[in-house]
Amino acid sequence: MTSMVISPGATPEATARGATIAQTLAQFASSLRSEDIPSPVLERAKYLILDSIGIAHASTHYDFAHRALSAVTELSAGLGDMPVIGLPHRLLPRDAMLMNGILVHGLDYDDTHAAGVIHATASCFPCSMGVGSQLGSSGLDMLSAYVIGMEAGTRLGAVAKGGFHQIGFHPTGLVGAFSCALIAGRLYGMTAQQMAMAQGITLSVGSGSLEFLQDGAWTKRMHPGWAAVAGSTAASLARHGFVGPREAYEGRFGLYASHLGQYAGNIDLGLATAGLGSTWEVSKVTVKPIPACHFTHACADAAAILREKHGLKLADIKSVRALVPAEVVKTVCEPVATKQKPQNSYDAQFSIPYIVATALVHGSFGLQHLEDSALADPAVLALAKNVHYEVDPASPFPKYYSGEVIVTTKDGRELRHREEVNRGAADRPISNADVEKKFMENATLAVSRSRAGEIRDLVLSLDRLADTAELSEGLAARG
């Protein structure tokens, strides 16, 4: 398939002479055949979904999940029949998509596309499973729609070159809604024209604010599920003839002009459609080895390596410097006071000082370090006060989320370690076998090992299921 490239700063007059980005993405979504997707891409897609399902099960242990469930159950008013992952509840389809998105993204342990700076599976999977189950789509059709959404969303995120975060928008929610409009459109069997219109409608309903970074609020957790709700709603409206704007992306008040402010001049609109059908971004999606914002991983690993290599003890350390990309400072380094003393677990997951201090004290960072007792650990908090950040002038962001940790010891030594390519990056991937291991570790926090094995086998046979409902029913809690 030939992709259309739109140059940065393209005017409505210029794009009117050819296909818009929305039309190009819609044509791709409507015409791509399942057999055109390479087998390794479909296989990796199943493992990305498996990873998200394991995280969703682990999330069922946390308060945020049950408070969210109470709210969406009230909204469904007992009328729905769509299962929720790992829980014995049934909701209306859109409410189930919202809830499943919250479970997948709630622990910030889900996958990331580096260039797009987006957690794409967290919206694409709940949407594809929800709409596919509702329509009785085959597992292969659902998987193909998921891949289409991932290919579109990662590219749309990459256009901004990290600019959404600088303004305060969360692309996982904002861009994810457009992905989900295409997913729903594909499963509904909509025409390319209808899917282009759906993206225009999505422009008015996609959302996601980063204000949660100020105080560790829970709102980020709902962004992907809300994207699934927004995108599927937009698709349904377009399917029934509701009219949306034509230039959802490149228009005068399109996505990038309206959401990037002074960073709008840095975009590359050509990335939105480059390589469609030939370069598969699903293969570049990275699985997280650490339950925290991906921007912190390199520093977390660097700190753990320094501790092990030099036998560091807390009493040895005078101060710590963490070198990070300039683009991530607002997310994981500021405001300094709350980063050095996180107010809750979500605050901690976006804190370079806390995560680096934890890795230096304990040698790793895991879910156990998000418990209330860990957040109050006096040794970690004392060290976190002495962890300071600096902008890394050699950062390759957004290709890699690099990080370097420099420890100054009380006896005058300066110890440093750099992770240029973060673990799990496209050039340093987590294997399918390791994804399966991570799934089992997360899923068995909620179910028996044998039950987790059943779920694993079901997910890995997704492309052979006659009805996507077999998957959604198979993920529901028993009893």
Coordinates of all heavy atoms in Angstrom, one line a residue, residues 10 178 231 289 331 383:
A10 N 1.2 21.7 6.4 CA 0.3 21.7 5.2 C -1.0 22.4 5.5 O -1.5 22.4 6.6 CB 0.0 20.2 4.9
F178 N -8.7 8.1 18.6 CA -8.7 8.0 17.2 C -8.4 6.6 16.7 O -9.0 6.1 15.8 CB -7.6 9.0 16.6 CG -8.0 10.4 16.8 CD1 -7.4 11.1 17.9 CD2 -8.8 11.1 15.9 CE1 -7.8 12.5 18.1 CE2 -9.1 12.4 16.1 CZ -8.6 13.1 17.2
G231 N -13.9 6.7 21.0 CA -13.7 6.3 19.7 C -14.8 5.4 19.1 O -15.3 5.6 18.0
P289 N 9.4 -3.9 31.9 CA 9.9 -4.8 32.9 C 9.7 -4.2 34.3 O 10.0 -4.9 35.3 CB 11.4 -4.9 32.5 CG 11.7 -3.6 31.9 CD 10.4 -3.1 31.2
T331 N 7.4 15.3 33.6 CA 6.6 14.1 33.9 C 7.2 13.4 35.2 O 6.4 13.0 36.0 CB 6.6 13.2 32.7 OG1 6.1 13.9 31.6 CG2 5.7 12.0 33.0
L383 N 17.0 9.0 51.3 CA 17.9 9.0 50.1 C 17.3 9.8 49.0 O 18.0 10.5 48.3 CB 18.2 7.6 49.7 CG 19.2 7.4 48.5 CD1 20.5 8.1 48.7 CD2 19.4 5.9 48.1

